[in-house]
Amino acid sequence: MELKLGNHRITLEAPKGSNGVLVKNLYLSCDPYMRGRMLDFHASYIPPFTLGSAIEGFGVSKVVDSDDPNFKKGEFVAGLTNWEEYTLILNTGQLRKIQQDDAIPLSYHVGLLASGAVGQLVGQLAKLHGCYVVGSAGTSQKVELLKNKLGFDEAFNYKEESDLEAALARYFPKGIDIYFDNVGGPMLDAALGNMRVHGRVAICGMVSQNSRTDTQSFKNIFGVISKRITIKGFLQSDFLQIYPRFLEDVTSYYKQGKIVYIENMNDGLESGPAALVGLFSGKNVGKQVIRVASK
């Protein structure tokens, strides 16, 4: 493939013997965990970004040249790529081929069918499994979306609550069986104060802690002992072996109208920085995606 820059033409190809693929990036996932990669924090589950290199993240891309026999020109793939127009991917083992489906937009493979947009999907899956579901959000608009569009039983604006522990007690007078945490901090502490005996907490993210430099303390931590609460970290990478089942189930739920998906699309690679910053002030409604190019 040739790319024209002014009066010059550049040939885009995967180097012979590299076993890599050259891709054109179409959609990039904009996620809160990326803020943590901007810190020199080696205790995390993913290494920090490298100074002087392109930012890395999940994306959907189109193969434009391949030195890997498992990938052919014109195929669509999802996996780790760079925030740039074209990327040479040498670790092709982490790429997943996308089987195109007219009912499923390509961008959904960095959201509904992959990572991010966790809260909206967790709540809907919990409802499908018979749970009473309460969500929290930072604006009245998002609260209404949770209740009226996503089908949560209840939802509240945490910014309007002076006492989060009391707010949760109002919605869960008999206590909480399962708490799925993406924020940490005061909300996690409030949830611990409202858990039932043998309650379970899955911790998937701590967005409230991304820019903190001090240590967060918890007044309700003793409840983990007295109520025998189970707290476990959750990373989707631990469950890749059952991803085909997840893909099949969620695709089916979506096509049947049992799951609703909300996406926030920004156009152009240049919109990426503002979109990432916007995640931490609640500007996005739904999964934040950057559209770099069309097919």
Side-chain angles (χ1 to χ4, degrees), residues 89-123:
I89 299 176
L90 299 178
N91 180 20
T92 57
Q94 56 87 22
L95 292 176
R96 172 178 61 84
K97 288 186 184 181
I98 294 175
Q99 302 300 323
Q100 281 193 271
D101 187 326
D102 291 339
I104 306 291
L106 282 172
S107 61
Y108 284 21
H109 288 269
V110 292
L112 176 66
L113 302 175
S115 63
V118 173
Q120 59 170 296
L121 189 55
V122 165

Side-chain angles (χ1 to χ4, degrees), residues 25 28 54-57 80-88 269:
N25 294 315
L28 299 174
I55 288 179
E56 180 187 58
L80 284 174
T81 186
N82 292 339
W83 280 32
E84 56 192 4
E85 293 183 70
Y86 295 89
T87 300
L88 175 63
L269 189 59

Side-chain angles (χ1 to χ4, degrees), residues 76-292:
F76 294 97
V77 296
L80 284 174
T81 186
N82 292 339
W83 280 32
E84 56 192 4
E85 293 183 70
Y86 295 89
T87 300
L88 175 63
I89 299 176
L90 299 178
N91 180 20
T92 57
Q94 56 87 22
L95 292 176
R96 172 178 61 84
K97 288 186 184 181
I98 294 175
Q99 302 300 323
Q100 281 193 271
D101 187 326
D102 291 339
I104 306 291
L106 282 172
S107 61
Y108 284 21
H109 288 269
V110 292
L112 176 66
L113 302 175
S115 63
V118 173
Q120 59 170 296
L121 189 55
V122 165
Q124 292 182 84
L125 290 174
K127 283 295 298 178
L128 286 171
H129 286 80
C131 294
Y132 165 75
V133 177
V134 177
S136 67
T139 68
S140 297
Q141 176 195 16
K142 292 181 179 180
V143 167
E144 291 306 308
L145 283 173
L146 289 176
K147 293 193 292 185
N148 299 327
K149 190 175 181 67
L150 302 184
F152 286 32
D153 294 290
E154 291 288 353
F156 64 92
N157 185 340
Y158 64 86
K159 293 181 180 178
E160 295 179 349
E161 300 289 345
S162 59
D163 186 334
L164 291 175
E165 193 169 341
L168 290 179
R170 190 167 70 242
Y171 290 103
F172 295 95
K174 296 183 179 179
I176 301 170
D177 290 296
I178 302 170
Y179 172 53
F180 193 94
D181 185 35
N182 282 315
V183 297
M187 186 64 79
L188 173 58
D189 200 17
L192 290 177
N194 280 278
M195 298 301 294
R196 297 181 68 178
V197 173
H198 299 300
R200 292 170 289 167
V201 178
I203 298 183
C204 184
M206 288 197 174
V207 68
S208 69
Q209 307 300 296
N210 281 333
S211 297
R212 292 182 68 103
T213 57
D214 59 330
T215 301
Q216 179 73 42
S217 60
F218 292 87
K219 67 176 183 177
N220 293 318
I221 195 68
F222 185 79
V224 175
I225 301 172
S226 61
K227 296 179 181 179
R228 285 83 80 200
I229 299 169
T230 299
I231 301 178
K232 187 172 183 178
F234 174 83
L235 290 178
Q236 57 87 22
S237 56
D238 288 338
F239 301 93
L240 292 179
Q241 71 277 8
I242 59 173
Y243 180 76
R245 175 185 164 191
F246 169 85
L247 185 64
E248 181 180 350
D249 288 349
V250 174
T251 299
S252 177
Y253 288 146
Y254 178 76
K255 289 181 176 180
Q256 294 176 60
K258 293 182 178 180
I259 279 181
V260 176
Y261 178 59
I262 303 173
E263 184 178 64
N264 197 95
M265 184 73 72
N266 281 34
D267 279 308
L269 189 59
E270 66 279 4
S271 72
L276 180 60
V277 172
L279 291 177
F280 302 97
S281 59
K283 286 187 177 180
N284 62 302
V285 178
K287 168 67 181 183
Q288 181 64 63
V289 180
I290 308 300
R291 178 164 40 212
V292 181

